Amino acid sequence: MMKVYGDYTQEELNRQYNQLTLVPNQAEYVKQNRIKSAEVRKKLNCVLDVSYGPTLDEVLDIFPAEKPGGPIQVYRHGGAWTVGHKDNHSYIAESFVDKGVNLIIPNFSLAPKVTLDEIVRQNRAAVAWAYHNAHGFGGNRDRLYISGHSSGGHLTGMMLVTDWEKEYGLPKDLIKAATSCSGMYDLEPVRLSHRNEYLFLDERSARRNSPVHHIPDVLIPLVVGYGDGELDEFKRQSDEFAAAWEAAGNPVTKIILAGQNHFDVDRGYARVDSPIMRATLTYMGQE
């Protein structure tokens, strides 16, 4: 049969970008996360649905640390760029707040309602908002960090390769470190898979939104993580992005989580003792 990418046929490539092939009960993960998130919002001090942009989708939640002046972490959720909501990810907040970190979780528009370019723009706007408004929620804008999972890992990559000085008039080293888990960093195979039925990428837009092709000369430490129970393409994507980031002279910590699938990995952000959080907190100086 004809190969469409690497050694994959069309059917094989489609399966590599379909999480249901390995985790058929992913809806149960979403349900549990939603329930836990509602509990956390009742428990913690938080400011919800703060506007950071002109559209109704551009709102964010702030979980401020008890002590002012702490670092800021901006986390973006996954969901194949088509599903997901900030309200389902509040469950990670306690692990950050307990360590003196101000956590921001932005919402953003989803495909196919908007293009991937617009999703990236909104996420950049959320980071810029966090910098400009840090004092209002007790954060230190000079200690700004980012993280994400799955398609949120892709968006984290896109934040890393943004020219903040040229495009936003912000410090070139705006982002001090990042954690990206189970992401996609080269969108050419994504474009060739079934996912392009809603992303509508052409070769130029796929490359424009592939962070592996736009690595900057800013020194930014990066944590890359994934589970050993993930799809092969997600493992490859993470390995190649980590290697490219390191080849450009950046510090990289790669974490392969034994016995974890794609949706287990994201829950590592909710535990201060997880390998993902230990590495993240170390880069933030909040061990």
Side-chain angles (χ1 to χ4, degrees):
M1 296 182 68
M2 186 176 68
K3 310 296 185 180
V4 296
Y5 184 82
D7 200 37
Y8 295 120
T9 65
Q10 187 67 67
E11 181 181 359
E12 290 167 342
L13 185 64
N14 288 345
R15 288 178 62 83
Q16 282 295 319
Y17 287 94
N18 181 2
Q19 297 296 341
L20 285 170
T21 60
L22 289 185
V23 192
N25 66 326
Q26 62 181 267
E28 185 60 29
Y29 280 86
V30 174
K31 179 182 177 181
Q32 293 172 4
N33 292 347
R34 182 171 61 248
I35 292 171
K36 178 62 176 177
S37 292
E39 294 172 353
V40 167
R41 287 195 298 275
K42 290 180 180 179
K43 180 179 180 181
L44 294 184
N45 175 33
C46 52
V47 184
L48 307 177
D49 297 321
V50 178
S51 175
Y52 69 84
T55 73
L56 295 177
D57 291 329
E58 292 173 81
V59 293
L60 54 80
D61 294 345
I62 306 168
F63 296 86
E66 183 176 346
K67 183 179 178 180
I72 302 165
Q73 178 70 239
V74 184
Y75 166 90
R76 51 208 42 81
H77 68 76
W81 303 283
T82 63
V83 296
H85 196 280
K86 65 176 176 58
D87 290 0
N88 295 340
H89 292 272
S90 308
Y91 75 92
I92 72 171
E94 281 187 281
S95 60
F96 287 98
V97 172
D98 286 351
K99 287 294 185 176
V101 178
N102 300 275
L103 178 66
I104 291 179
I105 306 179
N107 216 48
F108 45 88
S109 301
L110 301 170
K113 175 184 174 182
V114 301
T115 65
L116 189 54
D117 285 314
E118 172 61 9
I119 293 172
V120 170
R121 183 204 66 77
Q122 290 184 16
N123 276 269
R124 286 170 172 158
V127 173
W129 185 96
Y131 178 85
H132 287 301
N133 293 275
H135 180 74
F137 57 83
N140 182 348
R141 71 180 190 177
D142 296 320
R143 297 180 65 195
L144 196 154
Y145 302 81
I146 62 172
S147 56
H149 173 255
S150 193
S151 55
H154 161 261
L155 294 170
T156 297
M158 290 302 294
M159 301 305 101
L160 283 171
V161 304
T162 299
D163 189 334
W164 294 102
E165 185 176 46
K166 180 180 179 180
E167 297 181 28
Y168 288 85
L170 297 176
K172 188 175 183 179
D173 63 345
L174 173 72
I175 296 169
K176 305 309 180 186
T179 301
S180 186
C181 293
S182 309
M184 293 154 285
Y185 311 98
D186 180 358
L187 297 192
E188 182 60 12
V190 177
R191 181 183 76 84
L192 295 172
S193 78
H194 69 100
R195 292 196 179 202
N196 213 34
E197 294 173 5
Y198 58 79
L199 287 174
F200 307 114
L201 297 169
D202 57 23
E203 289 186 33
R204 292 180 63 186
S205 58
R207 190 173 183 87
R208 182 169 63 246
N209 287 291
S210 294
V212 73
H213 296 308
H214 307 288
I215 296 176
D217 61 359
V218 178
L219 188 68
I220 304 175
L222 173 66
V223 179
V224 173
Y226 61 87
D228 67 0
E230 300 226 32
L231 292 160
D232 288 344
E233 268 294 278
F234 281 76
K235 297 177 185 178
R236 180 193 67 80
Q237 289 258 11
S238 292
D239 287 341
E240 293 190 0
F241 186 58
W245 199 256
E246 191 170 38
N250 298 290
V252 173
T253 300
K254 190 166 78 172
I255 300 173
I256 303 175
L257 299 156
Q260 294 197 17
N261 67 39
H262 187 74
F263 298 95
D264 294 325
V265 172
D266 196 30
R267 292 182 171 181
Y269 286 112
R271 305 193 322 274
V272 294
D273 62 344
S274 74
I276 292 298
M277 276 299 287
R278 287 200 302 268
T280 299
L281 291 168
T282 296
Y283 276 141
M284 299 181 78
Q286 300 293 118
E287 306 94 319

